[in-house]
Amino acid sequence: MCRIVGAPRTLLPLLAALLQASVEASGEIALCKTGFPEDVYSAVLSQDVLEGQPLLNVKFSNCNGKRKVQYESSEPADFKVDEDGMVYAVRSFPLSSERSKFLIYAQDKETQEKWQVAVKLSLKPTLPEDSVKESREIEEIVFPRQLTNKHNGYLQRQKRDWVIPPINLPENSRGPFPQELVRIRSDRDKNLSLRYSVTGPGADQPPTGIFIINPISGQLSVTKPLDRELIARFHLRAHAVDINGNQVENPIDIVINVIDMNDNRPEFLHQVWNGTVPEGSKPGTYVMTVTAIDADDPNALNGMLRYRILSQAPSSPSPNMFTINNETGDIITVAAGLDREKVQQYTLIIQATDMEGNPTYGLSNTATAVITVTDVNDNPPEFTAMTFYGEVPENRVDIIVANLTVTDKDQPHTPAWNAVYRISGGDPAGRFAIQTDPNSNDGLVTVVKPIDFETNRMYVLTVAAENQVPLAKGIQHPPQSTATVSVTVIDVNENPYFAPNPKIIRQEEGLHAGTMLTTFTAQDPDRYMQQNIRYTKLSDPANWLKIDPVNGQITTIAVLDRESPNVKNNIYNATFLASDNGIPPMSGTGTLQIYLLDINDNAPQVLPQEAETCETPDPNSINITALDYDIDPNAGPFAFDLPLSPVTIKRNWTITRLNGDFAQLNLKIKFLEAGIYEVPIIITDSGNPPKSNISILRVKVCQCDSNGDCTDVDRIVGAGLGTGAIIAILLCIIILLILVLMFVVWMKRRDKERQAKQLLIDPEDDVRDNILKYDEEGGGEEDQDYDLSQLQQPDTVEPDAIKPVGIRRLDERPIHAEPQYPVRSAAPHPGDIGDFINEGLKAADNDPTAPPYDSLLVFDYEGSGSTAGSLSSLNSSSSGGDQDYDYLNDWGPRFKKLADMYGGGDD
């Protein structure tokens, strides 16, 4: 058996109410009556009541279990009732007789039916011994005794007779801690030494250490304040074992409910909420929904939120343009007069309060709702003027005539602001169009079709302005949405034009020069301008026509020929230019088409002009036709015949007409020697009068094989070469001869250049002042083919400027008359080299101006101590006999020539 003895001050009334409620519930089984089962609930309290202290539990009988009851206190400033009927103190206060009685109301949320019950609070006597006793007495939970009885000879365990009610513990308790809750003991602790323990989350499982138990006394305590928002219920299990650890009692379950306290403010999901509403919306139009949450128990007053609007800015046209559903947070309009053109945005401060919006006990928080008034087309566009003016030159298109301006109070660059212009009158031909400038919203009146000044000098257009979207319901277009546009047409000088253009006339070909064909004149569209038009010829491919510059009369200046290449499909085209004398002068062109009628002015010709046949009549014949540049009826059918002379034609040939266009030429004799024959054929057309012509057919007669094919074509072609072929062959022969001659000349010139290069001496090899350099062993002058004309004394005569006597250099050339040196021919023969050298030596011996002079010659200074001898003593052959040149024979074969020349005696 389990029993509970004693209770702390804060839990006694609660436990008593729970026990009483259980007993009353058993009585309702027999007869259920909706409402409070008691008329008066009583509770004994100490003098000091603490905030959040549970006082007692009022039980409401809900027979069908479907009623949703809401509790209220007649003294909400001091007491509040939770949904489970638990009465709490709202604030801390000393209990007095004034606060000893109050009422509790219960109201059905659906039917609004209300019940009430009285609550009476009384002070507990505060005797010293009672205070000590009360402070020491705590609730005891005793393990139920396990009774057994025999049934059919077996021991059977007896079931527990009741369940231990849960322990309600307020959250955020201020202590002191550890705070004793209950004492757990077993009836066997009188005979045994027992140890008590608790297990479960909050004890030995995370979060550990919140609940502890004294293992000796079984005192269960809480060590710190609880937070319902973290853990709303703890489920512990109490154990009793002996000192050896043997289980003495079955574990019992202890449930600890954390009673919610209003310790959390509502929090909005967003601090700033944005919504829109169209202007002109009717009252009751939904705008937006704001939402806040409360971490407290949503099923208790602590978590029940209520919304309200604290302020609205701006407050025009009414300070209460919007309202909010206090439970759902829906914001709707409650007044008319939303006008975006006046107020574009509203800012609302929204407050959410828990405790069902109780301003005294509830916690609150605020957020901002920004409501933008969206534009609707409630303002039509209006023209800034009733009449607009513009002007346009005639015949001009795609130019802006006038600029129409409008005003619209709707939001710019929206369909309700963008203007659309329409021409409603004054332009039946559709010569004008109005485009909208997307930036300024102006209307641009544009000419889309040419306008003629001579037809209409002014246009008066009626235009209307609308928006891209229709006006809001109930709004009409005012007169200012319509305007007129006056467009003046400016006269300009226009091009003269020929009418008709092109002009077609029919004439027979063969008209003589000077024949007047027609008059081709142009018209000036400028009827209000006095202007003259002059005509000129612009295009006349065959140069057959002329035009009078004043009256436009066209006359022939040559014979018209239909067969001319300038005539296409019997039509000859000529273009003429008409120019006026306006400012600026304008011109126009016109085309005259002459359809030439054929006359029989062309004789037929044989076709083909060349043919071939065999020496015998069989098996070949020649088919011929006629070519006539005229057309029907001046062409075929044709008549073919052979002339009477020469007589050999009809004797050798016969012609047979096949049809109107073809005839057949055959050999009349049995054999005709191979060759080329010219057969005249008389061809007559069908013109009126007919025209005849003798046309020559060149016939190649050849030897044929059995198939009728020529076998001696080459001989016949060679024998029958025409003049053109002979000239072409001669030209080819001449060109070939010229090429051969040019090649020969080129070969000779190349040989001469090669010889000249062999005779030419490099300037470095000049024998007068240098040593000859040979590039091969054993070579001498006889191995080199030099052009000895290069050995001529160059012209070294200085200018005629004579230096004063006494300042001439010693090695300077004396001033004497120059002797004549021999000149060698341009193409010397190797045999005259010796004669040339001898003549040159004799001339040099007699030349007093030739070096070396009888003086010191200065060539270059090479420094002192030179071992080289002086070159001034070298003489020509006149003094060479005094020297001995035999030593040249000892220098080898390369100096053999010098040794022979100077050391070989007189030779």
Side-chain angles (χ1 to χ4, degrees):
M1 180 178 181
C2 177
R3 59 188 177 90
I4 302 176
V5 293
R9 267 185 316 192
T10 59
L11 296 179
L12 269 177
L14 178 61
L15 295 175
L18 291 174
L19 292 174
Q20 182 180 359
S22 63
V23 174
E24 292 174 352
S26 63
E28 286 182 0
I29 298 175
L31 179 63
C32 179
K33 181 181 180 181
T34 302
F36 292 102
E38 300 289 339
D39 295 333
V40 178
Y41 284 92
S42 300
V44 180
L45 304 175
S46 61
Q47 184 175 4
D48 295 328
V49 179
L50 301 178
E51 178 183 356
Q53 177 182 346
L55 304 180
L56 75 162
N57 187 285
V58 292
K59 181 65 176 177
F60 184 84
S61 298
N62 190 357
C63 296
N64 54 14
K66 298 181 180 179
R67 294 181 181 271
K68 295 182 179 180
V69 181
Q70 180 179 352
Y71 297 100
E72 291 183 1
S73 171
S74 62
E75 300 293 337
D78 296 329
F79 307 100
K80 67 176 182 178
V81 185
D82 207 346
E83 284 188 348
D84 57 358
M86 181 63 68
V87 181
Y88 295 93
V90 176
R91 60 187 181 88
S92 300
F93 59 89
L95 185 63
S96 63
S97 60
E98 299 177 355
R99 298 187 179 93
S100 61
K101 294 181 181 180
F102 62 93
L103 298 178
I104 299 297
Y105 302 100
Q107 184 176 6
D108 193 323
K109 292 183 179 181
E110 296 181 356
T111 64
Q112 303 299 320
E113 188 177 358
K114 183 179 290 187
W115 299 267
Q116 69 179 21
V117 67
V119 177
K120 182 178 180 181
L121 304 178
S122 60
L123 290 172
K124 186 177 181 180
T126 57
L127 296 176
E129 59 273 13
D130 293 340
S131 300
V132 174
K133 182 178 179 180
E134 181 180 2
S135 62
R136 291 180 181 178
E137 289 180 355
I138 60 173
E139 178 185 4
E140 287 187 356
I141 299 178
V142 180
F143 284 92
R145 180 173 298 177
Q146 300 177 0
L147 301 176
T148 58
N149 57 3
K150 288 187 178 182
H151 181 72
N152 297 330
Y154 296 96
L155 293 176
Q156 189 175 17
R157 182 176 178 180
Q158 185 177 353
K159 296 182 180 179
R160 297 180 183 180
D161 53 351
W162 59 284
V163 179
I164 298 175
I167 301 173
N168 294 325
L169 184 62
E171 65 173 335
N172 303 324
S173 177
R174 299 181 180 179
F177 296 103
Q179 179 180 352
E180 296 178 351
L181 300 180
V182 294
R183 179 175 298 165
I184 300 173
R185 75 177 188 84
S186 173
D187 292 340
R188 297 185 180 185
D189 61 353
K190 298 178 181 179
N191 302 323
L192 298 174
S193 177
L194 303 180
R195 298 293 183 267
Y196 300 98
S197 64
V198 291
T199 59
D204 62 341
Q205 299 178 18
T208 60
I210 296 180
F211 299 98
I212 59 175
I213 189 171
N214 189 315
I216 304 299
S217 63
Q219 178 66 46
L220 179 65
S221 304
V222 60
T223 61
K224 59 182 179 179
L226 304 180
D227 189 353
R228 191 204 67 85
E229 285 70 42
L230 295 179
I231 301 177
R233 173 178 292 186
F234 293 91
H235 192 130
L236 304 179
R237 176 163 288 190
H239 305 271
V241 298
D242 59 14
I243 59 176
N244 296 323
N246 298 319
Q247 179 176 319
V248 177
E249 301 282 359
N250 290 329
I252 61 173
D253 294 329
I254 301 175
V255 177
I256 301 175
N257 292 327
V258 182
I259 305 302
D260 183 40
M261 304 296 291
N262 193 16
D263 57 344
N264 291 281
R265 291 183 178 274
E267 296 291 339
F268 283 91
L269 298 181
H270 305 287
Q271 194 59 35
V272 178
W273 298 78
N274 293 294
T276 60
V277 60
E279 62 175 332
S281 296
K282 296 180 179 180
T285 302
Y286 172 79
V287 180
M288 61 190 299
T289 300
V290 296
T291 304
I293 57 175
D294 196 317
D296 292 325
D297 188 359
N299 298 319
L301 292 177
N302 297 335
M304 294 183 179
L305 306 183
R306 297 294 182 265
Y307 302 93
R308 70 190 187 101
I309 299 176
L310 295 182
S311 65
Q312 169 192 307
S315 59
S316 62
S318 171
N320 298 315
M321 296 295 296
F322 304 92
T323 187
I324 188 170
N325 188 308
N326 64 347
E327 293 186 1
T328 62
D330 295 341
I331 299 176
I332 60 175
T333 61
V334 293
L338 290 174
D339 190 352
R340 191 205 65 84
E341 286 73 36
K342 295 180 179 179
V343 178
Q344 299 182 2
Q345 192 176 82
Y346 289 91
T347 301
L348 307 180
I349 303 300
I350 309 298
Q351 182 186 60
T353 306
D354 58 14
M355 298 294 292
E356 291 189 327
N358 191 312
T360 304
Y361 308 108
L363 301 178
S364 303
N365 211 337
T366 60
T368 302
V370 179
I371 301 175
T372 302
V373 182
T374 59
D375 187 34
V376 298
N377 193 13
D378 57 346
N379 292 281
E382 298 180 1
F383 286 99
T384 58
M386 297 304 298
T387 304
F388 296 88
Y389 299 93
E391 58 182 20
V392 56
E394 63 174 333
N395 301 322
R396 294 284 302 276
V397 294
D398 296 331
I399 63 172
I400 298 175
V401 177
N403 190 7
L404 311 181
T405 56
V406 295
T407 59
D408 196 320
K409 297 180 182 179
D410 291 319
Q411 185 175 0
H413 305 290
T414 61
W417 179 83
N418 296 333
V420 178
Y421 298 91
R422 176 174 53 86
I423 299 176
S424 59
D427 184 24
R431 300 182 184 275
F432 298 91
I434 304 178
Q435 299 178 353
T436 304
D437 188 324
N439 296 321
S440 63
N441 211 27
D442 294 345
L444 307 178
V445 182
T446 308
V447 180
V448 295
K449 293 182 180 180
I451 301 175
D452 188 9
F453 173 83
E454 286 71 25
T455 303
N456 198 340
R457 300 185 182 184
M458 178 176 289
Y459 290 86
V460 178
L461 310 178
T462 302
V463 297
E466 301 173 350
N467 292 121
Q468 292 180 348
V469 295
L471 289 174
K473 187 176 181 180
I475 299 177
Q476 303 296 329
H477 285 279
Q480 291 79 6
S481 296
T482 304
T484 58
V485 181
S486 179
V487 181
T488 302
V489 182
I490 302 175
D491 190 17
V492 297
N493 189 20
E494 300 178 73
N495 297 323
Y497 63 93
F498 288 88
N501 189 15
K503 183 177 182 179
I504 302 176
I505 63 174
R506 298 170 66 90
Q507 291 289 341
E508 284 189 353
E509 63 173 332
L511 289 178
H512 299 291
T515 304
M516 198 277 289
L517 295 180
T518 185
T519 299
F520 197 23
T521 58
Q523 299 179 10
D524 192 347
D526 300 310
R527 297 195 302 268
Y528 302 99
M529 296 183 182
Q530 301 298 327
Q531 299 179 148
N532 297 323
I533 298 179
R534 295 188 65 84
Y535 304 94
T536 55
K537 185 171 63 174
L538 190 62
S539 173
D540 184 12
N543 197 24
W544 289 344
L545 309 174
K546 70 175 181 179
I547 187 169
D548 188 281
V550 177
N551 57 23
Q553 192 175 76
I554 298 176
T555 309
T556 62
I557 58 176
V559 177
L560 304 184
D561 185 7
R562 191 198 65 83
E563 290 74 32
S564 171
N566 297 309
V567 177
K568 305 297 181 183
N569 298 325
N570 302 328
I571 295 177
Y572 179 75
N573 292 316
T575 306
F576 299 93
L577 181 70
S579 303
D580 61 22
N581 58 348
I583 301 176
M586 304 299 291
S587 61
T589 60
T591 301
L592 178 65
Q593 292 184 342
I594 305 175
Y595 187 89
L596 294 175
L597 302 175
D598 186 39
I599 63 174
N600 196 12
D601 57 344
N602 291 280
Q605 299 178 1
V606 68
L607 190 72
Q609 296 180 354
E610 293 184 356
E612 63 180 23
T613 186
C614 298
E615 293 176 332
T616 59
D618 296 326
N620 286 344
S621 61
I622 301 173
N623 293 327
I624 60 173
T625 185
L627 173 64
D628 196 332
Y629 292 104
D630 294 324
I631 59 176
D632 291 335
N634 298 318
F638 301 98
F640 301 88
D641 198 1
L642 297 176
L644 298 177
S645 62
V647 295
T648 56
I649 298 301
K650 281 202 170 186
R651 185 182 62 203
N652 296 337
W653 304 92
T654 180
I655 189 167
T656 304
R657 182 180 180 185
L658 299 178
N659 53 37
D661 294 327
F662 292 91
Q664 194 173 74
L665 182 67
N666 294 290
L667 278 176
K668 190 175 182 181
I669 59 178
K670 295 183 178 181
F671 176 81
L672 182 64
E673 185 180 358
I676 296 178
Y677 299 86
E678 292 183 353
V679 180
I681 299 175
I682 302 174
I683 305 177
T684 304
D685 59 22
S686 299
N688 186 17
K691 203 171 186 64
S692 299
N693 180 37
I694 299 178
S695 183
I696 302 301
L697 175 64
R698 291 173 57 87
V699 180
K700 300 177 183 179
V701 180
C702 59
Q703 296 179 359
C704 298
D705 54 15
S706 60
N707 296 326
D709 298 328
C710 289
T711 57
D712 56 349
V713 176
D714 295 339
R715 179 175 58 83
I716 296 177
V717 171
L721 288 178
T723 305
I726 295 175
I727 294 175
I729 293 174
L730 292 177
L731 287 176
C732 293
I733 295 174
I734 293 173
I735 292 173
L736 182 61
L737 292 176
I738 291 175
L739 291 176
V740 173
L741 182 61
M742 291 176 63
F743 179 75
V744 172
V745 172
W746 177 75
M747 290 295 295
K748 289 184 177 181
R749 180 174 296 179
R750 191 178 68 171
D751 293 340
K752 290 181 179 180
E753 290 177 355
R754 184 170 64 250
Q755 294 175 3
K757 289 180 181 179
Q758 293 175 354
L759 295 175
L760 201 61
I761 300 177
D762 192 278
E764 296 180 357
D765 299 333
D766 195 339
V767 298
R768 292 175 296 176
D769 295 328
N770 299 283
I771 299 176
L772 294 176
K773 178 181 178 182
Y774 300 96
D775 293 332
E776 60 183 11
E777 291 291 339
E781 288 185 357
E782 61 184 1
D783 297 328
Q784 305 293 334
D785 187 11
Y786 287 104
D787 184 5
L788 298 183
S789 62
Q790 303 297 325
L791 298 177
Q792 282 185 307
Q793 176 66 31
D795 186 10
T796 56
V797 179
E798 296 181 357
D800 295 336
I802 306 301
K803 296 182 180 180
V805 180
I807 61 174
R808 188 177 302 276
R809 288 172 46 183
L810 296 178
D811 61 345
E812 190 172 351
R813 178 179 178 179
I815 301 175
H816 296 284
E818 295 184 1
Q820 296 295 327
Y821 285 89
V823 179
R824 194 182 180 202
S825 61
H829 191 274
D832 64 350
I833 294 177
D835 297 337
F836 173 73
I837 293 176
N838 293 330
E839 292 177 1
L841 287 175
K842 291 180 181 180
D845 291 339
N846 297 325
D847 184 8
T849 63
Y853 316 122
D854 291 334
S855 60
L856 180 63
L857 297 179
V858 179
F859 292 93
D860 196 5
Y861 180 72
E862 299 180 353
S864 61
S866 175
T867 59
S870 175
L871 300 177
S872 62
S873 60
L874 292 177
N875 291 323
S876 60
S877 61
S878 60
S879 58
D882 299 336
Q883 298 184 17
D884 186 10
Y885 294 102
D886 294 336
Y887 58 88
L888 294 176
N889 294 320
D890 300 331
W891 287 8
R894 299 190 64 178
F895 293 92
K896 184 177 182 302
K897 187 65 175 179
L898 289 177
D900 294 341
M901 293 177 60
Y902 290 93
D906 295 338
D907 295 336

